[in-house]
Amino acid sequence: MPLSWVEIDLEALRHNYFQAAGRLGPNASVIGVVKSDAYGHGMTAVAKELVTCGASFLAVSKYWEAADLRHHGVEIPILVLLGFEAEETEDALLSRVRPAVFRMDHARRISAAAVKHGVTALVHLKVDTGMGRLGVPMSTVPSFLDELLALPGLSLEGVLSHFAVADEWDKSYSDRQVERFQEVLKMVAARGCELPYAHISNSAGILDLPHAHFQLVRPGIMLYGSPPSRELIQPADLRPVMSFKSRILQLKEVLPGQPIGYGRTYVTERTARIATVPVGYDDGYSRLLSNRGQVLIREKRAPVVGRVSMNMITVDVTHIPEAMEDDEVVLLGCQGNARITAEEIADLCGTISYEIFCSIGHHRSKFFLHATPS
Ligand SMILES: Cc1ncc(COP(=O)(O)O)c(C=O)c1O
């Protein structure tokens, strides 16, 4: 048994998938966003479960992630959100992976590779409707489209864009993005191109912007059981997928006035029982949780006292007299009715649940629970 470990509940993932899919009309389906190791949840296992659920596509950031999925037998279409690097273009095409295209030199390179191998490259045009990050700017979409559609060996399978603030109460900016997106779709149609897929909605768009579902949606965070924000108008019933657990490695009684941990940032005021738990920032438990985080022991909350170090934290369990060495410690997840959420940890760290999942997800010991038998 490892000293600490991460559990991934694939039944909860399935539940969340159907929360997303259940919001869609009959003509829309799901691109499961599994980039960044499925937000730390384990890309291959998550991808296979999403395929079983009925996902039509998967999305990753980089081609090597798609290659890894193919290597593990995942056959459904995969979209690479950051496009292909020059040296991987031919391999990527031959493994039927689709690039997002936002640069004409990339498009030309993909076209040349497709012609060379006698295949048709299916590409998704990425347009910037207001995020200001990645995509062809609105002003240059017409000329980009003209050139793209004239390239040999290349077929426009999709057009995509990304919301900047779909998770905020005020949907006016997102509505403007949808309008611009529709303008682009009209430009595509005006050029005689029958486009199979348009997609713009992330989790927040799926939940709050039903008029923006088009033919595909791209849920990420909601699959992993965390709401994209607290400002949603139509929140979903989501179940956390990731838990982070450990055990009490040592329990000791200390006298008043005892400094705890590096920097002596916590000093006991009374006789206290201090549990040492073998997790630290190397395991993704942020140092920002020093003297702030809480964990669950015997279904009760216990505060982290002193600094989080690389491989250990110290927890005050004076108020839990039944606590013993080797007791389970939950750092993220449920114990009985008690629960510590990624949103709670994110708030303490001044970040978002996405980053908490990615950090803890780097943990070396990961167990997958309730997988659908293949
Ligand atoms: C292009 C793109 N689509 C979809 C998503 C999924 O977003 P979310 O996790 O908020 O559902 C992301 C995530 O960052 C993204 O970059």
Side-chain angles (χ1 to χ4, degrees), residues 140-217:
T140 56
V141 170
S143 57
F144 196 95
L145 262 179
D146 288 339
E147 219 179 315
L148 187 74
L149 294 175
L151 288 174
L154 201 142
S155 174
L156 188 61
E157 183 182 52
V159 172
L160 75 146
S161 192
H162 195 45
F163 283 126
V165 286
D167 57 343
E168 293 181 3
W169 283 116
D170 182 352
K171 304 295 180 198
S172 51
Y173 192 80
S174 302
D175 286 338
R176 184 74 197 98
Q177 282 196 259
V178 175
E179 282 164 24
R180 291 191 191 119
F181 192 58
Q182 275 161 336
E183 283 169 38
V184 173
L185 300 182
K186 280 190 196 134
M187 292 177 210
V188 173
R191 284 158 177 77
C193 172
E194 275 187 39
L195 186 71
Y197 301 114
H199 44 110
I200 187 170
S201 282
N202 53 3
S203 298
I206 294 166
L207 297 174
D208 273 359
L209 296 162
H211 57 291
H213 289 172
F214 298 95
Q215 294 77 36
L216 286 170
V217 295

Side-chain angles (χ1 to χ4, degrees), residues 299-318:
E299 300 183 23
K300 295 196 179 86
R301 284 178 172 258
V304 172
V305 292
R307 286 220 174 115
V308 173
S309 45
M310 194 181 289
N311 314 109
M312 279 179 272
I313 57 172
T314 32
V315 174
D316 188 342
V317 293
T318 315

Side-chain angles (χ1 to χ4, degrees), residues 9 21 28 57 116 119 140 150 215 240 253 257 280 293 325 341 350:
D9 181 353
F57 270 78
K116 177 177 162 192
V119 296
T140 56
Q215 294 77 36
E253 196 165 287
E325 287 177 344
T341 64

Side-chain angles (χ1 to χ4, degrees), residues 33 35 39 81 126 133 160-162 201-204 218-222 228 354:
V33 179
K35 63 180 183 163
Y39 294 29
L81 295 165
K126 173 96 187 250
R133 192 176 63 174
L160 75 146
S161 192
H162 195 45
S201 282
N202 53 3
S203 298
R218 302 189 307 269
I221 197 71
M222 72 177 291
Y354 299 62

Side-chain angles (χ1 to χ4, degrees), residues 14 38 50 61 72 97 129 153 156 183 190 200 211 216 230 268 277 292-293 298 309 322 329 337 339 363:
R14 285 198 294 278
L50 294 177
S61 289
H72 285 96
V97 174
T129 54
L156 188 61
E183 283 169 38
I200 187 170
H211 57 291
L216 286 170
R230 293 195 175 84
T268 51
V277 182
R292 307 183 76 194
R298 301 252 172 177
S309 45
E322 66 276 28
V329 178
N337 291 325
R339 176 169 161 183
H363 202 285

